[in-house]
Amino acid sequence: NSSGPNVCLHRSSTAKPHVTSSPPPGSNKQTPHSIIIGVRKGGTRALLEMLDIHPEVAVAATEVHFFDWDENYAKGLVWYRELMPYSYPHQITVEKTPGYFTSALAPERIRAMNSSIKLLLILRDPAERVVSDYTQVYFNRLENHKPVQAIENLLVHNGALNIRYKAIQRSLYDVHMRNWLHHFPLRQIHIVDGDALIRDPLPELQKVERFLDLSPRIVSSNFYFNQTKGFYCIRSNGRERCLHESKGRPHPSVNSTVLQQLRSYLQEHNRTFFRLVKRTFHWQ
């Protein structure tokens, strides 16, 4: 999830400040006004890249893992702020680390930093997310010459669904959401429909603009459909960029009985989640 676009977008210094040895005049580093907290394989990178079009947004270049990794959290807020981009007073800083959503400690730690922060959560069909999670790990293991297993071997243990499999645990949206709602009111968490963002980015981004109190600056001409890749790419400041080739990889076909087992198991969790967020999603 941490791989960025394969084409960098160069900006003039009037648009957004570069990270240089001497900061652009009038700019500084700020702790985030908004954090994309997850979910892993939900479309966090696409959301961040699309938000980056907005002239009032400055995005962190990498996933920081400040609130979910103890060794980073121990380094303190000054260390965290140093990893943020230079921004101007009229801009908001946005960080994304998909691991935050499933972290037991992240909500409490983020609230301690800023109790009124605006959180962005992008979700997709949880069963599809499991397969996507597996696919990412599968390719990572291949690239590192590590042994790989068929997805069915991970999903099933002794003939039953292996609910301890991490990828399944990450898709129990209700379990994790309950933890966040324990620390933040629902009005501070905007849920982006990841499936809708892929199909038609603009309406989802317009909702995010409103949630973040940004002026409406993202328009349909900022996106074009790339037939080869099979998803939308970004056009901004006269340049075009697509997400990294690791995005949109073909998923393995999963044994239909196993997939049905997974969907059935997730169904009750989904219903609970819909009640928690007072919203329904069209997941199978």
Side-chain angles (χ1 to χ4, degrees), residues 130-252:
V130 169
V131 181
S132 191
D133 198 319
Y134 163 84
T135 306
Q136 174 168 307
V137 174
Y138 174 85
F139 279 103
N140 286 349
R141 290 184 72 86
L142 275 187
E143 282 161 20
N144 294 312
H145 310 289
K146 289 181 177 174
V148 291
Q149 292 194 63
I151 188 168
E152 290 82 0
N153 296 352
L154 297 166
L155 286 173
V156 177
H157 183 67
N158 292 338
L161 192 71
N162 178 19
I163 59 172
R164 296 180 67 178
Y165 175 36
K166 264 200 181 130
I168 294 179
Q169 288 288 319
R170 290 188 190 110
S171 275
L172 307 182
Y173 298 159
D174 60 322
V175 174
H176 307 299
M177 193 69 190
R178 214 176 246 119
N179 189 22
W180 285 90
L181 291 174
H182 187 65
H183 297 278
F184 291 98
L186 186 58
R187 67 175 181 275
Q188 271 174 253
I189 307 171
H190 175 70
I191 301 171
V192 178
D193 185 332
D195 299 308
L197 184 81
I198 297 305
R199 281 195 310 273
D200 186 11
L202 187 61
E204 286 302 311
L205 284 158
Q206 288 172 328
K207 289 173 201 165
V208 173
E209 281 180 327
R210 288 194 289 274
F211 174 69
L212 296 177
D213 296 317
L214 297 167
S215 54
R217 297 291 294 274
I218 300 174
V219 292
S220 57
S221 60
N222 285 133
F223 308 102
Y224 66 97
F225 191 77
N226 184 311
Q227 293 290 351
T228 318
K229 287 180 175 288
F231 52 74
Y232 278 91
C233 294
I234 299 165
R235 187 184 284 123
S236 170
N237 292 352
R239 291 180 176 273
E240 297 183 350
R241 57 183 169 151
C242 287
L243 291 178
H244 192 266
E245 58 269 15
S246 67
K247 306 295 169 188
R249 278 175 173 151
H251 286 179

Side-chain angles (χ1 to χ4, degrees), residues 32-37 92-95 110 113-121 184 187-190 208-214:
H33 305 74
S34 177
I35 298 177
I36 300 173
I37 57 173
I92 65 164
T93 297
V94 180
E95 187 243 307
I110 291 173
M113 175 186 74
N114 179 359
S115 60
S116 60
I117 197 165
K118 294 190 172 190
L119 303 168
L120 292 168
L121 173 63
F184 291 98
R187 67 175 181 275
Q188 271 174 253
I189 307 171
H190 175 70
V208 173
E209 281 180 327
R210 288 194 289 274
F211 174 69
L212 296 177
D213 296 317
L214 297 167

Side-chain angles (χ1 to χ4, degrees), residues 82-106:
E82 269 311 298
L83 293 171
M84 294 302 122
Y86 284 105
S87 61
Y88 293 116
H90 70 280
Q91 292 180 312
I92 65 164
T93 297
V94 180
E95 187 243 307
K96 80 109 176 165
T97 301
Y100 291 161
F101 183 57
T102 56
S103 159
L105 295 168

Side-chain angles (χ1 to χ4, degrees), residues 257-275:
T257 313
V258 173
L259 194 58
Q260 195 44 55
Q261 252 180 303
L262 175 64
R263 289 197 185 281
S264 302
Y265 173 71
L266 290 170
Q267 223 160 25
E268 192 51 47
H269 285 282
N270 294 346
R271 279 197 286 266
T272 308
F273 177 74
F274 297 159
R275 280 197 299 274

